Amino acid sequence: MNSEKIEIFDTTLRDGEQVPGCKLNTNQKLTIAEKLDELGVDIIEAGFPISSPGDFHSVSEISKLVKNAKVCGLTRANEKDIEAAAEALKLAKRPRIHTGIGTSDSHIKYKFNSTREKIIERATQAVKYAKTFVEDVEFYAEDAGRTDNDFLAQVCEEAIKAGATVLNIPDTTGYCLPEEYGQKIKYLKENVKGIDKAILSCHCHNDLGMATANSIAGVINGARQIECTINGLGERAGNTALEEVVMVLKQHTDLKLHTHINSKMLNYMSVLVSDLMGMPVQPNKAIVGTNAFAHSSGIHQDGVIKNRETYEIIDPADVGVNNSSIVLTARSGRSALAYRFKHIGFDVTKNELDFLYEEFLKIADIKKEVNNDDLGLMIEVFNRKIG
Ligand code: KIV
Ligand code: ZN
C-alpha cells in the first residue's frame, strides 16, 4: 500500500486554549499532553512561552513529560520570544520552535505598519535565530489564506533558505474555500524553490465552517502536516477538529494518506478535553457528539437493525464508542420498538407489538425520548390488562 503519512500537529494546548473561559492549569495541561502522546500525535504545541510565566512553566513541564511526540512552543518573530521558547523547551526530547509573522497586506499595513521587504527580513532573521537553538524550526506565514500567492511563495522560499523545516500556511481568518486553499498549497509546491527541503502544513480556522474541508484539500494538494485541536476548539469558531481529519483519512483510503493516530481513543480524548476545559461538545458534532451514532427515525432504525452499514459509515468501535444507539421517539417504527423490547428481555409477538406500538406512540408524543423504564411499565400495564 503506497499510502503517505500525514503528521498530526495538535494545538489544543495553544490555539485551543485561546478560547475564552478555557484556561487550563499546568496539571490539567500535563494530563492532556500525556494522553495526546498516547493518542499518537506527532507534534504537541504546548503553549506560547513568552505569553505568561504560567504558560512558560507548562511548556517546560510538558517538555520533561512527553516521551514520543515533538514538543513545540509558539513565538512571534523577535529574539525575546524565541529565547523564551528555547529555554522552556530545553528539556524536550524533540523540541520544535514555531515562529512567524503576518504576511497578508492587511497584517503588513495595520499590524506592522511595514513593507513586504521588511517582513521578509524579519521572517528570515527569526528563523535563523530559532535555528541557533533547535534543529526543527517551523515558520508560519500568518493570514496566508489572504496573502497573495506570489508573495507567499517568496516568503516561503526565504524561510527555507534560512533553515525552516516546516512551512505553516494558516488560513488564520477561516476565509478560504477548499478549492482555493488546495490551489494555494499546490501553487507553493510547484513554485517555491527548495520546497523538497521542507513540508507544508495546513492550519485552518473554522469561521465559515470549512476548516476540515480546507485541511483535507491541503493534504490532497501536497501538504503533509495538519494542525488541529480536539473537538475543534480554538480562536473564535475554532480550528480544524483532530477527530474529523483523522477519520476522513481513515475512511477515505482512496486518498492514500494516513495518520498514526489511535482512533479508538478519539471519544475518550473528546470527553477528557471537554471536561477539563468546561466546554460541552455539541450533540451533533461529527465523530464525537453524543448523537454521532444515534438513530432516531423509523426508516433509519429499520435499516440499521437489518445492517449497520445502511446508515453508518464508521464503526463506532473505531472511535471508542461501544455501540450505536437506537433512540425511541415518536418518529420510531415498530422494528425499533421490537428491537428494544428484545434488548431488555421481552420477546413480543406481532399482535402484542401492534397493541404496544399504539401505546408507545401516545407516550412518545408527550415525552421527547421513551426509555427502558417506560417500556417496562408498558409491559406491566399490558400484562395486567390481558391477565
Ligand atoms: O491562526 C494562526 O495564524 C495561528 C498562527 C499563530 C500559527 O494560530
Ligand atoms: Zn490559529
Side-chain angles (χ1 to χ4, degrees):
M1 188 176 74
N2 57 345
S3 167
E4 284 188 52
K5 186 186 169 199
I6 300 299
E7 303 263 307
I8 294 295
F9 175 115
D10 181 277
T11 182
T12 307
L13 299 175
R14 200 278 295 170
D15 223 332
E17 210 231 8
Q18 289 176 207
V19 175
C22 275
K23 184 91 193 66
L24 295 168
N25 62 36
T26 301
N27 279 340
Q28 292 169 322
K29 287 187 185 177
L30 286 168
T31 304
I32 294 176
E34 194 168 29
K35 289 294 170 190
L36 285 171
D37 203 22
E38 206 179 312
L39 176 71
V41 307
D42 299 283
I43 304 105
I44 296 174
E45 186 163 52
F48 181 10
I50 193 103
S51 65
S52 74
D55 217 37
F56 181 94
H57 179 63
S58 297
V59 176
S60 17
E61 292 303 308
I62 291 170
S63 297
K64 289 185 223 160
L65 176 82
V66 169
K67 293 193 182 73
N68 307 305
K70 295 172 185 164
V71 179
C72 174
L74 184 81
T75 84
R76 290 163 296 188
N78 67 59
E79 294 194 351
K80 278 210 168 74
D81 279 32
I82 294 168
E83 283 157 14
E87 180 63 22
L89 292 166
K90 75 175 180 218
L91 294 178
K93 289 189 186 65
R94 302 163 77 200
R96 174 181 289 183
I97 292 180
H98 188 192
T99 188
I101 194 161
T103 53
S104 65
D105 288 339
S106 145
H107 279 224
I108 295 174
K109 181 169 171 201
Y110 300 117
K111 269 178 73 175
F112 304 113
N113 186 23
S114 190
T115 61
R116 286 184 168 187
E117 293 68 33
K118 286 187 188 140
I119 290 295
I120 292 194
E121 178 69 21
R122 282 188 63 181
T124 51
Q125 272 171 8
V127 173
K128 280 184 190 154
Y129 194 55
K131 215 57 194 177
T132 64
F133 297 99
V134 293
E135 191 41 47
D136 188 0
V137 175
E138 173 168 340
F139 171 75
Y140 64 83
E142 196 182 7
D143 206 14
R146 294 186 300 170
T147 300
D148 154 71
N149 283 350
D150 279 346
F151 179 59
L152 188 58
Q154 220 183 314
V155 178
C156 288
E157 212 163 291
E158 295 305 322
I160 294 173
K161 276 194 221 154
T165 41
V166 182
L167 299 170
N168 178 8
I169 310 301
D171 183 22
T172 305
T173 57
Y175 173 75
C176 287
L177 295 170
E179 167 83 10
E180 189 184 1
Y181 189 75
Q183 286 308 311
K184 193 174 277 289
I185 298 291
K186 188 166 188 271
Y187 183 86
L188 296 175
K189 281 288 282 180
E190 288 171 357
N191 292 283
V192 173
K193 276 197 216 93
I195 193 68
D196 46 315
K197 294 199 197 87
I199 68 166
L200 288 167
S201 179
C202 311
H203 178 113
C204 298
H205 279 268
N206 206 29
D207 299 65
L208 293 172
M210 281 188 288
T212 295
N214 284 346
S215 299
I216 297 297
V219 292
I220 287 174
N221 284 283
R224 285 295 171 264
Q225 176 176 287
I226 296 179
E227 309 199 1
C228 45
T229 59
I230 302 289
N231 296 334
L233 292 171
E235 281 274 353
R236 306 181 308 279
N239 287 61
T240 301
L242 180 148
E243 59 278 4
E244 293 177 10
V245 285
V246 165
M247 290 315 288
V248 171
L249 298 182
K250 193 171 164 104
Q251 296 310 110
H252 278 274
T253 48
D254 51 309
L255 295 178
K256 293 194 165 41
L257 298 169
H258 67 275
T259 72
H260 282 182
I261 297 295
N262 170 9
S263 67
K264 290 193 166 52
M265 279 183 70
L266 289 175
N267 194 57
Y268 170 85
M269 290 305 298
S270 165
V271 174
L272 176 76
V273 169
S274 164
D275 285 354
L276 291 179
M277 285 198 173
M279 277 289 277
V281 176
Q282 72 193 65
N284 62 324
K285 166 82 184 59
I287 317 295
V288 292
T290 47
N291 286 350
F293 299 99
H295 305 276
S296 92
S297 91
I299 298 171
H300 290 210
Q301 290 176 335
D302 184 50
V304 169
I305 289 166
K306 287 174 177 146
N307 187 320
R308 194 185 66 69
E309 281 182 20
T310 51
Y311 288 97
E312 276 180 4
I313 56 155
I314 297 172
D315 181 346
D318 270 357
V319 298
V321 172
N322 285 341
N323 274 311
S324 31
S325 56
I326 299 286
V327 184
L328 292 179
T329 69
R331 303 293 151 259
S332 300
R334 282 176 173 71
S335 63
L337 186 61
Y339 173 84
R340 185 68 84 78
F341 272 135
K342 195 166 177 181
H343 189 71
I344 60 169
F346 300 107
D347 244 332
V348 293
T349 64
K350 184 173 175 317
N351 283 348
E352 287 168 346
L353 183 64
D354 283 343
F355 176 84
L356 286 165
Y357 185 65
E358 295 311 314
E359 295 304 304
F360 160 77
L361 285 181
K362 286 180 204 154
I363 302 172
D365 263 339
I366 301 166
K367 294 188 75 180
K368 278 190 183 153
E369 191 181 326
V370 178
N371 59 33
N372 289 348
D373 288 346
D374 299 319
L375 297 186
L377 211 61
M378 278 170 63
I379 293 281
E380 223 177 284
V381 173
F382 176 75
N383 284 342
R384 247 185 272 137
K385 262 193 191 151
I386 59 162

